[in-house]
Amino acid sequence: KQKQISISEFFAKNRHLLGFDNPRKALLTAIKEMVDNSLDACEDMGTPPDIFVAIEPGGRENRFRITVRDNGPGILKAQVPSVFGKLLYGSKFHGYRQQRGQQGIGVSAAGLYAMLTTGKAVEIKTKTGPRRKAYSCQLRIDTQHNRPDRLGEKDIEWEDVPHGTEVAMELEGTYSRGRHSVDSYLEQTAITNPHAQITYRTPDGEERVFERATTEMPRPTQAIKPHPYGVELGVLLKMVKETKAKQLAEFFQSEFSRVGNKVAQEICLSAKADPKSNPHRLSRGTVDELYHAIQKTKISAPPTDCISPIGDTLLLKSLQKEVEADFYHTVTRSPAVYRGMPFCIEAGIAYGGGLTGDDPARLLRFANRVPLLYQQAGCAVTKATIETAWRNYRLQQSRGAMPVGPMIIVVHMASVWVPFTSESKEAVASYPEIMKEIKLALQECGRKLGTFLRKRRREEDEAKKR
Amino acid sequence: KQKQISISEFFAKNRHLLGFDNPRKALLTAIKEMVDNSLDACEDMGTPPDIFVAIEPGGRENRFRITVRDNGPGILKAQVPSVFGKLLYGSKFHGYRQQRGQQGIGVSAAGLYAMLTTGKAVEIKTKTGPRRKAYSCQLRIDTQHNRPDRLGEKDIEWEDVPHGTEVAMELEGTYSRGRHSVDSYLEQTAITNPHAQITYRTPDGEERVFERATTEMPRPTQAIKPHPYGVELGVLLKMVKETKAKQLAEFFQSEFSRVGNKVAQEICLSAKADPKSNPHRLSRGTVDELYHAIQKTKISAPPTDCISPIGDTLLLKSLQKEVEADFYHTVTRSPAVYRGMPFCIEAGIAYGGGLTGDDPARLLRFANRVPLLYQQAGCAVTKATIETAWRNYRLQQSRGAMPVGPMIIVVHMASVWVPFTSESKEAVASYPEIMKEIKLALQECGRKLGTFLRKRRREEDEAKKR
Ligand SMILES: Nc1ncnc2c1ncn2[C@@H]1O[C@H](COP(=O)(O)OP(=O)(O)OP(=O)(O)O)[C@@H](O)[C@H]1O
Ligand SMILES: Nc1ncnc2c1ncn2[C@@H]1O[C@H](COP(=O)(O)OP(=O)(O)OP(=O)(O)O)[C@@H](O)[C@H]1O
Ligand SMILES: [Mg+2]
Ligand SMILES: [Mg+2]
């Protein structure tokens, strides 16, 4: 009666948790997971991304074959089966630095959905160096054991490419344009990733190219050690058991960021623990005291080279390129912290010009440079936007609703770990520190807009008088 | 660089997915998971549930010790460690029948959160029969390997109890009353579970008893086999490989519900497959044809003895007991199907009387008799309520908002598998079939309310004339 449940069985039944709720959304989610992987991989090796995306009609009605190819570093042959055929397997989960992927689920989930709806295997071709052979492999997921089921593999020549990865699969989907479409995802991805070039072939055979706007790569991010304020008692208990440090003070300095000798001594003193004691021998009670001592000790904020915001200048440039308006303003807040994880909020507004006036303002949400196209209602960005008092800036707004006016609002959260409300990574969870930072960023944009509108109103009134 | 990620590591980092976003919500979620388990367990053995819930102050500020005890069947000694110390382990995931639990995560997640915030083990006491000894065990979760870490165990006497389970743990929490509190959860649980008696001791030492309203147990549910319409190609491919049936026609009859010999022959005929062929030998192409043949074959709806709605009479009685109003109406729709899974929507309205008039109507949401207290914005029940045109029934409603008036709306979804929007089981995903059924149920309530309000208005007008 009692049974172990494999994670891929769990997600096969719960595919809406991964963003495969219906055929229209499934097509977008599968492409998004692959393109995000390609962008992450190219950035890791410092190469401006060249990404090719194709959607072709599949073997039957409502089926499409999708292909994504990149010029990234490629994947080691030995790792390919688990990368594509095993949920909760990847290189990004255990590190503390900003990347688009963070769960180790994305591309395997897309393959799982493809297998469920067409029964067909995922096809992978990858090459890790110019003089190397490429490795080609077809595989499916064995859901009962959450492991890859290899159907075929061989080394092949991949002439015209020095390194890179190509992934193809056939799945059930519905192709359409509009707000929640693949087209819209790629357009918005181009806005926040000006260093990428994306070539896109639609099922009707049309080819669109999103040109690279700059060859300047985003500043590479460095992984940081956990910050003491973010470490819970249960985790601290585990860390003291597993540490290689011989003394307690040394444990604090080597395992955490922002802890030098002075802070380490202070924590031990406040917890009445001996800084020279062996971490492996500490009692649960002493670790509990150390945990509370950390909360009371003044420790500087975590380093911020682990996150890479877009920057208000580049965000402004992208906004001006995509939207024709009378007024623009962008802001990048200085980094903040929730649960010990560094994050940074950026926001921008475009008002007037070609935008229509009587509708609610349009909200574009981004997390780690990835557009969030679904679950707007349950997202912290939306809630913080609605809770901002836009009437103060001369805009209409009824209770519990978006402001109304010819306006586009853009909010971007950059973080070492974005707290999504589900594995489909479509909405940000409402941690109070995050809500506060979004509101502060929007208020700054709102104030600037208010000044502009007052000035414009004054000029209009004066013009009328003459 | 590439690593396997254990499911409990994943949820330790993503605890908001499980409903442990903040200390206030965490206290509620932990209690909810344990009480839901107790209700399920008691119903399984056909015993009216007697559940005791206690919240006591813990070892430090912001810490509470919570205890839940039931008179259920108890848990076999050998299974206790995995039940409480392993995520994705349980008895309910693989069956197709209505229960509160369905993921195999709940109580282990509560234990994980307790360990993370206080470092303390979960304490379990369970007894499976009157003349048996009770088994007592303390354990924590080893998150790296997702397995139980037993700290202590022994057989003990548990005198005054013939059978049952008691679970206790200490965790970080915030106790408060109001909309999203433990009190409110227990009050609403008492409404939809009139066969249960719940004794509740608050941290202030006050004891409340939610009396049993009926000794009549809900109709027991029977597990059904999957319905052919709900089986995807990938699953069908797996089923034909693993079946014990020797012939294809026999495979359809033995593995699915609602398939007799006639329907099985029809499916094979339409797919041009030999009904006597060996299922293990079928090609992927033939299985693809069979999949499409199933969609084209007329097959009756799944059996409904796998779901157990509350019933409009009992729902009406509970509503009348809890809310003082002028008008009541409840409705239980006949069962429907989404992705092959049977479900049934029930709704009720209470209007006027002691209810206040100028606020948006209050919405009470339930899934498999469990109240849903969070994530109202992202829930199918809320969306369907907002999309219902309440103006037709003489109520105020602005675009995209709840109706306004002295009204309480109750919606209950009973299903063999409720599609939640995350593992915290707080909101229902918006499958089109589910949205449609909720709207139809609300429209029936709305029509009855409209008739009542028109009549009342007429009577008021006539009274004024005299
Ligand atoms: N195109 C690619 N080039 C190089 N490496 C890749 C590529 N696609 C995936 N990978 C590797 O495979 C791993 C697994 O990918 P997957 O999308 O399943 O998870 P993830 O990106 O780590 O996290 P998420 O689930 O959030 O997407 C990644 O961590 C990365 O190391
Ligand atoms: N009080 C109890 N009495 C008897 N059995 C129990 C009790 N609590 C839990 N169980 C058993 O332990 C299993 C695991 O419980 P857990 O809450 O983790 O998962 P679940 O109830 O199956 O699903 P969910 O994650 O949706 O709650 C259950 O399936 C049930 O068989
Ligand atoms: Mg990924
Ligand atoms: Mg449970």
Side-chain angles (χ1 to χ4, degrees):
Chain A
K1 195 158 150 285
Q2 299 283 350
K3 270 176 82 172
Q4 172 76 36
I5 302 152
S6 115
I7 184 70
S8 35
E9 273 181 315
F10 178 80
F11 281 126
K13 212 169 178 183
N14 266 320
R15 75 200 49 176
H16 50 274
L17 290 184
L18 299 175
F20 297 97
D21 323 28
N22 57 57
R24 182 181 149 81
K25 202 171 158 184
L27 190 64
L28 166 68
T29 302
I31 294 209
K32 183 172 166 247
E33 293 295 355
M34 294 198 280
V35 169
D36 288 352
N37 281 344
S38 296
L39 289 168
D40 273 350
C42 293
E43 282 175 16
D44 273 0
M45 71 178 307
T47 303
D50 265 328
I51 299 172
F52 172 76
V53 177
I55 306 177
E56 299 155 86
R60 266 189 196 266
E61 209 191 321
N62 282 344
R63 288 192 185 164
F64 293 93
R65 180 182 165 79
I66 56 178
T67 307
V68 175
R69 188 169 60 237
D70 65 50
N71 59 334
I75 303 167
L76 292 177
K77 183 170 172 171
Q79 291 167 342
V80 166
S82 289
V83 157
F84 293 95
K86 197 180 196 44
L87 291 172
L88 289 178
Y89 182 88
S91 61
K92 305 168 194 174
F93 179 85
H94 292 98
Y96 271 83
R97 70 188 175 95
Q98 176 182 335
Q99 292 179 286
R100 293 164 186 79
Q102 56 185 39
Q103 305 181 136
I105 293 176
V107 71
S108 301
L112 173 65
Y113 176 79
M115 180 186 86
L116 283 173
T117 54
T118 66
K120 290 197 178 161
V122 178
E123 296 160 31
I124 302 129
K125 195 163 62 173
T126 189
K127 188 174 177 182
T128 52
R131 276 176 295 289
R132 303 234 172 101
K133 284 226 189 286
Y135 174 63
S136 152
C137 162
Q138 295 84 40
L139 61 83
R140 280 203 297 243
I141 293 187
D142 167 357
T143 54
Q144 208 156 344
H145 303 100
N146 185 35
R147 62 176 182 218
D149 192 358
R150 249 176 294 185
L151 302 175
E153 56 179 342
K154 59 180 184 299
D155 290 348
I156 60 170
E157 289 300 335
W158 195 2
E159 304 288 333
D160 45 345
V161 164
H163 47 72
T165 302
E166 181 179 293
V167 181
M169 58 181 80
E170 189 173 321
L171 49 76
E172 195 179 284
T174 310
Y175 177 71
S176 61
R177 291 168 195 267
R179 278 283 166 96
H180 303 297
S181 66
V182 173
D183 299 56
S184 162
Y185 159 71
L186 292 173
E187 280 158 18
Q188 291 188 32
T189 296
I191 294 180
T192 48
N193 298 280
H195 58 295
Q197 170 127 339
I198 302 173
T199 308
Y200 170 43
R201 187 179 301 150
T202 70
D204 341 330
E206 186 201 332
E207 195 156 295
R208 294 178 63 182
V209 182
F210 299 91
E211 305 278 352
R212 177 174 291 126
T214 164
T215 53
E216 195 193 322
M217 289 295 284
R219 191 183 50 145
T221 53
Q222 308 302 327
I224 64 163
K225 293 198 190 99
H227 188 275
Y229 287 157
V231 172
E232 271 147 335
L233 178 56
V235 175
L236 191 61
L237 279 164
K238 202 172 130 201
M239 287 172 85
V240 292
K241 270 211 186 58
E242 294 171 358
T243 182
K244 297 193 179 47
K246 296 277 174 285
Q247 299 189 341
L248 187 55
E250 183 203 336
F251 161 72
F252 279 114
Q253 291 178 61
S254 62
E255 305 270 356
F256 294 98
S257 62
R258 294 306 197 220
V259 179
N261 186 42
K262 186 171 147 292
V263 170
Q265 297 293 337
E266 227 179 293
I267 293 172
C268 293
L269 194 69
S270 142
K272 303 188 184 52
D274 175 4
K276 293 197 166 41
S277 56
N278 178 348
H280 297 287
R281 299 260 173 79
L282 295 172
S283 71
R284 212 193 57 73
T286 307
V287 178
D288 201 349
E289 291 304 327
L290 287 166
Y291 169 75
H292 281 86
I294 288 172
Q295 314 305 320
K296 280 186 248 146
T297 308
K298 194 152 169 38
I299 307 173
S300 46
T304 55
D305 52 0
C306 51
I307 47 180
S308 159
I310 299 167
D312 50 359
T313 337
L314 206 50
L315 190 59
L316 184 66
K317 213 173 118 191
S318 288
L319 204 52
Q320 286 168 333
K321 182 169 153 246
E322 294 294 326
V323 180
E324 190 245 318
D326 300 332
F327 169 83
Y328 301 91
H329 186 72
T330 57
V331 62
T332 296
R333 300 271 310 159
S334 49
V337 175
Y338 82 95
R339 277 178 54 195
M341 320 256 206
F343 74 98
C344 161
I345 294 292
E346 312 185 88
I349 279 188
Y351 184 92
L355 296 168
T356 59
D358 302 332
D359 290 325
R362 195 157 167 223
L363 180 61
L364 298 179
R365 300 172 292 138
F366 296 89
N368 287 350
R369 299 168 186 263
V370 178
L372 309 179
L373 296 181
Y374 280 93
Q375 292 190 12
Q376 174 149 333
C379 183
V381 172
T382 311
K383 290 180 189 162
T385 306
I386 287 174
E387 287 173 19
T388 301
W390 295 96
R391 287 205 183 140
N392 297 350
Y393 315 121
R394 314 182 68 84
L395 284 162
Q396 291 164 37
Q397 182 184 23
S398 40
R399 207 175 74 179
M402 290 288 286
V404 174
M407 183 159 88
I408 283 188
I409 302 170
V410 176
V411 176
H412 175 231
M413 175 181 184
S415 178
V416 296
W417 180 266
V418 176
F420 291 109
T421 58
S422 85
E423 291 84 344
S424 59
K425 300 188 290 185
E426 292 164 348
V428 179
S430 314
Y431 280 88
E433 302 88 335
I434 298 173
M435 292 284 283
K436 189 176 138 226
E437 277 294 311
I438 298 172
K439 283 183 201 166
L440 289 172
L442 291 175
Q443 281 160 12
E444 173 171 332
C445 292
R447 273 195 302 278
K448 291 274 194 281
L449 175 64
T451 312
F452 167 78
L453 289 178
R454 258 189 299 281
K455 200 163 141 247
R456 193 162 80 169
R457 178 66 53 85
R458 253 197 328 271
E459 283 164 5
E460 276 166 15
D461 288 351
E462 277 160 23
K464 272 198 204 117
K465 280 187 200 134
R466 286 188 218 117
Chain B
K1 196 163 151 273
Q2 300 282 353
K3 271 177 82 172
Q4 173 74 32
I5 303 151
S6 114
I7 184 71
S8 38
E9 276 182 312
F10 178 80
F11 281 126
K13 212 169 177 181
N14 267 321
R15 76 197 51 163
H16 50 274
L17 291 183
L18 299 175
F20 296 97
D21 322 29
N22 58 57
R24 183 182 149 81
K25 201 170 156 185
L27 188 66
L28 165 68
T29 302
I31 299 238
K32 182 172 165 246
E33 293 297 353
M34 294 197 281
V35 169
D36 288 352
N37 281 345
S38 296
L39 289 167
D40 272 350
C42 293
E43 281 174 19
D44 272 0
M45 70 180 305
T47 303
D50 264 324
I51 299 173
F52 173 76
V53 178
I55 306 177
E56 298 155 81
R60 266 189 196 264
E61 211 192 318
N62 281 344
R63 287 192 184 164
F64 293 93
R65 179 182 166 79
I66 56 177
T67 307
V68 174
R69 186 170 63 237
D70 65 51
N71 60 335
I75 304 166
L76 292 176
K77 185 170 170 171
Q79 291 169 340
V80 168
S82 290
V83 158
F84 294 94
K86 196 179 192 50
L87 290 172
L88 288 178
Y89 182 87
S91 62
K92 305 169 194 173
F93 179 83
H94 291 96
Y96 271 88
R97 69 185 174 94
Q98 177 183 335
Q99 292 178 286
R100 292 163 186 79
Q102 56 185 40
Q103 303 180 135
I105 292 175
V107 69
S108 301
L112 172 66
Y113 176 80
M115 181 188 85
L116 283 173
T117 54
T118 65
K120 292 201 176 155
V122 177
E123 296 160 33
I124 302 130
K125 193 163 65 173
T126 188
K127 188 174 176 181
T128 52
R131 277 177 297 289
R132 305 234 175 102
K133 285 219 189 267
Y135 174 64
S136 153
C137 162
Q138 296 83 42
L139 61 84
R140 282 202 300 239
I141 292 187
D142 166 357
T143 54
Q144 204 154 349
H145 302 100
N146 186 35
R147 62 174 179 221
D149 193 358
R150 248 177 293 186
L151 304 177
E153 56 180 340
K154 59 177 184 298
D155 289 344
I156 61 170
E157 288 301 334
W158 194 1
E159 302 290 336
D160 44 346
V161 163
H163 48 71
T165 302
E166 181 178 293
V167 182
M169 57 181 80
E170 189 173 321
L171 50 76
E172 193 180 288
T174 309
Y175 177 70
S176 60
R177 293 173 194 264
R179 278 285 168 95
H180 304 299
S181 66
V182 173
D183 299 56
S184 160
Y185 159 72
L186 291 173
E187 280 157 21
Q188 291 189 31
T189 296
I191 293 180
T192 49
N193 298 278
H195 58 296
Q197 171 127 336
I198 303 174
T199 307
Y200 170 44
R201 190 181 297 151
T202 72
D204 335 327
E206 184 201 331
E207 193 154 298
R208 294 178 63 183
V209 181
F210 299 92
E211 305 276 357
R212 175 175 289 125
T214 162
T215 52
E216 199 193 318
M217 291 293 285
R219 185 168 53 87
T221 53
Q222 308 300 329
I224 62 163
K225 294 198 190 100
H227 189 272
Y229 287 158
V231 172
E232 273 147 328
L233 178 55
V235 175
L236 191 61
L237 279 163
K238 202 173 130 195
M239 286 173 85
V240 291
K241 275 216 185 62
E242 294 171 359
T243 181
K244 296 194 178 47
K246 298 273 175 284
Q247 299 188 339
L248 187 57
E250 183 203 335
F251 160 73
F252 279 113
Q253 291 177 62
S254 62
E255 304 270 356
F256 293 98
S257 61
R258 293 309 200 218
V259 179
N261 186 42
K262 187 169 151 295
V263 170
Q265 297 293 340
E266 230 179 291
I267 293 172
C268 295
L269 196 68
S270 144
K272 304 190 183 57
D274 175 3
K276 291 198 170 37
S277 56
N278 178 349
H280 297 283
R281 300 259 171 84
L282 296 173
S283 71
R284 211 192 58 72
T286 308
V287 178
D288 201 348
E289 292 303 329
L290 286 167
Y291 169 74
H292 281 87
I294 288 171
Q295 314 305 320
K296 281 188 240 134
T297 309
K298 195 160 168 34
I299 308 172
S300 48
T304 54
D305 52 358
C306 53
I307 48 180
S308 158
I310 299 167
D312 52 359
T313 336
L314 207 50
L315 190 59
L316 184 66
K317 214 173 116 190
S318 287
L319 205 53
Q320 286 167 334
K321 186 171 151 241
E322 293 294 327
V323 179
E324 192 246 315
D326 300 331
F327 168 81
Y328 300 90
H329 185 71
T330 56
V331 62
T332 296
R333 300 271 310 160
S334 49
V337 177
Y338 81 96
R339 276 178 53 194
M341 320 254 206
F343 75 99
C344 161
I345 295 291
E346 311 184 268
I349 278 187
Y351 184 93
L355 296 168
T356 58
D358 302 333
D359 290 327
R362 188 151 174 228
L363 180 62
L364 298 179
R365 299 172 292 138
F366 296 88
N368 286 350
R369 298 168 186 264
V370 177
L372 309 179
L373 296 184
Y374 280 92
Q375 292 192 11
Q376 176 149 332
C379 183
V381 171
T382 311
K383 289 178 188 163
T385 306
I386 287 173
E387 288 174 19
T388 302
W390 295 96
R391 288 212 184 125
N392 297 350
Y393 316 119
R394 312 183 68 82
L395 284 162
Q396 290 164 44
Q397 181 184 22
S398 39
R399 207 173 69 168
M402 290 290 287
V404 174
M407 186 160 84
I408 282 189
I409 303 170
V410 176
V411 175
H412 175 232
M413 174 179 183
S415 177
V416 294
W417 181 266
V418 177
F420 291 108
T421 58
S422 86
E423 290 84 344
S424 58
K425 298 188 288 184
E426 292 164 348
V428 178
S430 316
Y431 280 86
E433 302 86 338
I434 298 174
M435 293 284 283
K436 187 176 139 225
E437 277 295 311
I438 297 172
K439 283 182 199 166
L440 289 171
L442 292 175
Q443 282 160 9
E444 174 171 331
C445 291
R447 273 195 302 278
K448 290 274 191 292
L449 176 63
T451 313
F452 167 77
L453 290 179
R454 256 189 300 280
K455 199 161 145 256
R456 197 165 78 170
R457 179 69 51 86
R458 246 196 333 269
E459 284 164 4
E460 278 166 13
D461 288 350
E462 277 159 22
K464 264 192 213 127
K465 278 190 202 133
R466 287 188 215 119

